[in-house]
Amino acid sequence: MNKFKNYLFILILFNTLIACASSRNLRDITNTDNKSDYLSDLESEVVSELNFARMQPSEYADYLVAYSELFVGRELRENGEITVLTKEGKSAVNEAIRFLRRQKPLSYLTASQGMSKAASDMVRMQETTSQIGHKGRDGSTFAERINRYGTWNGSCGENIDYGNNKARRIVMALIIDDGVSNRGHRKSIFNPDFKRVGVACGQHQRFRYMCVIEFAGSYVEK
């Protein structure tokens, strides 16, 4: 019996160390490879969160499992927060969980200063308005904005989240993609061709907060 207890203790300790190492490795990737001094704390956390979801999708699903328990039908009920009426409710969260359980791990995204500047341009164009969407007030597309500060190759994309000011909620919302029938935001996050990312977060007149995320296959900074 004592041998069994010792074995069980060692197994639990080993799993704990592995979990801690995984989290530390993800932070190291962001802090070292991304060289993201130009990003705010929140923006850097969004990059880390995106990489966590891409590199450990099945583990990331556990956060959505806990999140799903906050739903009653289509209503998101969280203590101390205003009740939010979503379009699809808990079913969209459960569908995202199933997707993450099946999703194969992907390589991490490396942050880009030029692409982050392009994301910041979009934040500035929308933060004092109630405008949403991907077309800039100057008529620009996200591809054009990304090309202002460098040259993208392969493919590119843009995700915009409104209403969240915490990295995990931003990334979870884009993965769940409530009300978006083709789950386009989720597809961008888990597009294996994307290797570079730019992030900018700010205020929004209608939704209080917004976060713009740019993706590209490759990118050469100006």
Side-chain angles (χ1 to χ4, degrees):
M1 181 61 71
N2 288 334
K3 288 183 178 180
F4 175 76
K5 287 182 178 179
N6 290 336
Y7 171 78
L8 184 61
F9 173 77
I10 293 170
L11 181 62
I12 293 172
L13 178 61
F14 176 78
N15 289 335
T16 301
L17 290 172
I18 289 295
C20 292
S22 297
S23 298
R24 185 173 64 251
N25 289 340
L26 287 172
R27 288 196 297 270
D28 289 345
I29 286 169
T30 299
N31 294 336
T32 303
D33 289 353
N34 284 323
K35 301 177 182 178
S36 52
D37 292 343
Y38 51 86
L39 297 175
S40 69
D41 288 345
L42 174 58
E43 291 159 357
S44 182
E45 288 168 8
V46 169
V47 175
S48 294
E49 200 72 14
L50 288 167
N51 282 329
F52 182 12
R54 281 173 62 96
M55 297 172 70
Q56 300 182 29
S58 184
E59 290 84 348
Y60 200 82
D62 294 337
Y63 293 110
L64 271 68
V65 171
Y67 182 65
S68 70
E69 298 304 316
L70 301 176
F71 281 82
V72 178
R74 292 168 56 205
E75 292 183 348
L76 173 61
R77 299 180 182 178
E78 194 168 5
N79 289 336
E81 301 291 338
I82 297 173
T83 297
V84 177
L85 180 63
T86 64
K87 293 182 179 179
E88 299 177 69
K90 189 173 182 176
S91 63
V93 184
N94 289 337
E95 188 267 327
I97 293 168
R98 292 192 295 272
F99 167 85
L100 289 170
R101 297 295 192 203
R102 297 190 303 267
Q103 174 64 39
K104 293 181 179 179
L106 300 174
S107 60
Y108 67 88
L109 300 165
T110 302
S112 157
Q113 186 169 11
M115 292 171 63
S116 296
K117 288 180 179 178
S120 183
D121 285 350
M122 192 56 167
V123 170
R124 283 195 297 270
M125 284 189 283
Q126 290 192 348
E127 64 183 352
T128 59
T129 74
S130 59
Q131 179 186 357
I132 61 173
H134 299 279
K135 187 173 182 178
R137 292 173 63 188
D138 58 359
S140 62
T141 65
F142 60 81
E144 292 169 341
R145 291 189 292 274
I146 295 172
N147 260 351
R148 288 173 181 170
Y149 305 101
T151 303
W152 62 269
N153 288 292
S155 57
C156 66
E158 180 180 76
N159 280 0
I160 305 179
D161 174 74
Y162 299 95
N164 295 298
N165 67 340
K166 294 180 180 178
R168 181 145 296 160
R169 284 300 178 89
I170 290 169
V171 174
M172 284 200 310
L174 292 169
I175 291 175
I176 295 167
D177 230 0
D178 177 67
V180 181
S181 59
N182 68 354
R183 308 299 193 216
H185 300 97
R186 181 195 300 170
K187 289 178 181 177
S188 291
I189 292 174
F190 292 98
N191 185 334
D193 295 330
F194 288 155
K195 309 296 183 184
R196 304 298 304 277
V197 66
V199 180
C201 301
Q203 305 295 308
H204 190 269
Q205 190 175 77
R206 180 179 173 188
F207 294 102
R208 295 186 63 189
Y209 309 107
M210 65 180 295
C211 186
V212 180
I213 304 171
E214 313 288 6
F215 300 97
S218 65
Y219 191 73
V220 179
E221 312 272 349
K222 282 187 177 179

